[in-house]
Every structure is written in C-alpha cells, then in structure tokens.
C-alpha cells in the first residue's frame, strides 16, 4: 500500500517499489519521477491531496521506464510540465530508444513490456525550470544523464545507489556505463546530507556503507569479466554466459537476460577503453581477449 512519508518540513516521498519524491517549495509542489505506470501516478496524485499546495511540475531524474511510466498520466490529469536532464529527454519523448539501447537494434517483444518501455511524454530541459531551493547533482552512469535532487537536508539520489538487498540479489547493478556509475558513487561519497533517499529503498543517513557496497559490486563484476577471459578469448555470448554462471545468476526471462547482457557490454567497453582487453572478429564472430 502506498503512503506519503515525511522526510523533512518540505521533503516527502510516496513509498513504493519505485519511490516518488514530493517536494514543497514556497507553497508549490513538485513530483520527482512518476513511477512505473498510470496506477503509481494516480496513487501519488491522490496522496498529494493530503498536502497543501498545487502541483507545479514533475522532474524526472532519468528516463528509465519505472521512473517515467506515470508521466503521461500526470500530464493528462494535471497538465503540469515535465522537466528532465537534457540527455534523458530523447528517451522520454521516444521511449522505444530505451529498449533499442539495451538490445542494440529494434527491440524484440520481451524488451517492449512496460518495465522497459514507458508511454511517451513531452519533457522540457531542466535548465528552464524556474524554481529556487533545489540543488541538482549530476549522477550519470546508471543512465546517460541521470541527476539527483537535494532539497535542504534531503537528497533524492535516484538509482545512483541500490540498497543491500538488491545488490546481494542482482549482483549486476544495471548501468549504461559502469565507469561513470563508479565516478558518480565517488561524487556522492563527497556529499554530506542528513537523509539520502534511493529510488529503490529506504531513506538513510548512513550512505557511506551503501556506496562502498555498490562500488564493490561494480569491481566484482569487472574482475569476473577479467577472470573469465583468463581462460582465453571468448565470443560476446560465451563471455556473458560464463560471467553470469560465475556470478551464480540465472534468468528465465529473455528481457531480464538482455538487460543484464547490455550492462555487461558496458564493462567490455570500459575495459577496452582502459587497454585491459581487446576485441577482434574471428570467423564472423566478435571475440574478446585480455590484452
Ligand atoms: Zn533506473
């Protein structure tokens, strides 16, 4: 059951599988993300009735479907503008780009479900939002141009950090670019807020430990890729299969496999950029090997 949780005098959130932030500034209400679908957006709008003030705008932290899935409902119901970081706007306006990015081509049906593909909505650049009192922190990596938003002592950190349960269960933390994910985690480590709210998890004042856990998970996957290549050159598919096996992961759903395979390809790019591995084509198969 969704409920509105108070974090400070002007910061709240709708607790759910994906938390939706609610901020009150000078009597104006802002939503941070809109959840997975119409239902999550409807619940959030209903809960706003318990607060004084009018909804002025939505800010999307990034364009993943579970964060923007309620955009079209909120826009239709309230007519408020939706703001987003510039690099995320194409994905919000043309949601087919997200599964296309994950797949590397026109996506098959397992990737066009609502978990991976939201309904389209219009978004404006966040730089054009004229409301004071918000601090925008750039936290790219998990998605190309993700942001976090701080209001007073409360920092909404989107998907920059995953809670312990998710880290232990999933092992691969989905991200577009793991190198920049790690950089953003280190950026976060240098901040000092009283309360941090990850989109998937509970508010915490002790973010350092969680950041270390997330950094260790990224390092673990990177090392697993290198360990698998110690055995010799491998094709992309074999390499991904061996890394998943080594991490003890098994997917029944092709969509979940493709999501994690896409994340692992980000590691291959990172290691290639750093000169640790190389790729080449052999008998029409892309191969990866230690340099
Ligand atoms: Zn996300």
């Amino acid at each position: 059951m969704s409920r509105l949780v108070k974090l400070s005098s002007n910061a709240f959130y709708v607790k759910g599988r994906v938390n939706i932030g609610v901020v009150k500034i000078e009597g104006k209400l802002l939503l941070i993300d809109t959840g997975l679908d119409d239902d999550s957006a409807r619940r959030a709008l209903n809960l706003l009735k318990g607060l004084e003030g009018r909804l002025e705008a939505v800010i999307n932290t990034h364009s993943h479907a579970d964060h923007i899935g309620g955009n079209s409902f909120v826009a239709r119901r309230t007519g408020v503008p939706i703001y987003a970081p510039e690099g995320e706007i194409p994905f919000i306006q043309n949601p087919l780009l997200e599964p296309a990015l994950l797949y590397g081509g026109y996506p098959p049906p397992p990737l066009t479900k609502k978990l991976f593909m939201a309904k389209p909505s219009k978004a404006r650049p966040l730089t054009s939002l004229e409301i004071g009192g918000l601090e925008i922190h750039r936290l790219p990596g998990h998605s190309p141009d993700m942001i976090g938003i701080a209001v007073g002592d409360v920092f909404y950190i989107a998907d920059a950090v995953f809670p312990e349960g998710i880290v232990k269960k999933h092992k691969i933390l989905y991200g577009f670019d793991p190198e920049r994910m790690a950089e953003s985690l280190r950026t976060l480590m240098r901040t000092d807020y009283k309360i941090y709210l990850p989109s998937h998890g509970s508010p915490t004042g002790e973010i350092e430990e969680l950041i270390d856990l997330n950094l260790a998970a990224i390092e673990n996957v990177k090392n697993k890729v290198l360990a698998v290549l110690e055995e010799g050159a491998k094709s992309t598919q074999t390499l991904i299969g061996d890394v998943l096996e080594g991490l003890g992961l098994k997917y029944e759903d092709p969509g979940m496999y493709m999501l994690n395979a896409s994340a692992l390809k980000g590691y291959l790019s990172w290691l290639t950029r750093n000169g640790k591995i190389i790729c080449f084509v052999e008998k029409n198969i892309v191969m990866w090997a230690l340099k």
Side-chain angles (χ1 to χ4, degrees):
M1 200 49 208
S2 299
R3 61 192 177 92
L4 192 68
V5 182
K6 187 171 183 171
L7 297 168
S8 74
S9 59
N10 59 350
F12 310 80
Y13 76 104
V14 179
K15 194 173 162 55
R17 283 175 69 128
V18 184
N19 298 322
I20 296 176
V22 179
V23 169
K24 191 175 174 183
I25 292 174
E26 295 161 4
K28 297 170 182 166
L29 298 176
L30 299 172
L31 280 183
I32 300 175
D33 293 335
T34 56
L36 178 65
D37 54 17
D38 290 3
D39 286 342
S40 45
R42 186 184 295 111
R43 279 195 295 271
L45 290 182
N46 282 337
L47 287 166
L48 289 189
K49 290 175 187 158
L51 294 173
E52 276 170 35
R54 236 176 57 125
L55 182 65
E56 285 284 320
V58 169
I59 303 177
N60 287 144
T61 57
H62 64 299
S63 58
H64 288 162
D66 55 337
H67 294 251
I68 66 160
N71 279 10
S72 65
F73 182 86
V74 174
R76 220 168 44 240
R77 183 60 74 84
T78 68
V80 302
I82 295 163
Y83 294 89
E86 211 118 0
E88 302 287 333
I89 290 176
F91 295 86
I92 295 169
Q93 303 199 144
N94 182 8
L96 185 67
L97 292 178
E98 182 59 32
L101 176 153
L102 294 173
Y103 183 66
Y106 195 98
L111 280 180
T112 54
K113 293 184 287 195
K114 74 175 174 186
L115 180 61
F116 302 111
M117 191 165 100
K119 293 179 193 165
S121 49
K122 287 225 153 23
R124 308 176 183 188
L126 189 55
T127 42
S128 61
L129 176 65
E130 287 173 6
I131 289 184
L134 299 174
E135 285 169 68
I136 307 296
H137 294 261
R138 294 179 54 82
L139 298 170
H142 171 72
S143 72
D145 202 13
M146 188 172 76
I147 53 153
I149 300 167
V151 180
D153 286 337
V154 177
F155 192 178
Y156 298 90
I157 56 175
D159 287 351
V161 170
F162 289 98
E164 191 178 351
I166 289 184
V167 176
K168 294 218 161 125
K169 182 174 169 214
H170 292 278
K171 297 195 175 118
I172 300 170
L173 307 174
Y174 173 76
F176 173 63
D177 178 350
E179 182 178 23
R180 286 166 82 207
M181 264 169 97
E183 273 169 27
S184 288
L185 283 163
R186 286 189 280 271
T187 302
L188 210 51
M189 191 66 109
R190 293 190 292 271
T191 64
D192 186 17
Y193 290 92
K194 220 186 210 158
I195 299 172
Y196 292 81
L197 180 71
S199 292
H200 305 273
S202 304
T204 177
E206 313 284 318
I207 199 70
E208 295 84 358
E209 230 172 276
L210 222 42
I211 292 173
D212 281 337
L213 196 70
N214 278 253
L215 282 169
I218 293 171
E219 200 58 25
N220 183 41
V221 172
K222 190 168 122 186
N223 288 337
K224 194 62 80 182
V225 171
L226 292 171
V228 159
L229 288 177
E230 290 279 352
E231 298 159 11
K234 296 194 176 183
S235 71
T236 313
Q237 291 306 329
T238 305
L239 170 60
I240 289 170
D242 289 353
V243 170
L244 295 179
E245 173 100 21
L247 291 169
L249 294 167
K250 221 175 194 161
Y251 304 109
E252 305 285 337
D253 175 47
M256 289 309 290
Y257 170 88
M258 289 171 192
L259 174 77
N260 286 286
S262 180
L264 287 178
K265 287 179 192 164
Y267 283 84
L268 297 178
S269 306
W270 181 13
L271 290 166
T272 310
R273 283 199 302 274
N274 284 2
K276 297 268 196 295
I277 66 175
I278 52 166
C279 66
F280 55 94
V281 179
E282 194 178 81
K283 292 184 188 159
N284 278 340
I285 297 171
V286 172
M287 303 291 289
W288 303 87
L290 293 178
K291 198 169 175 181

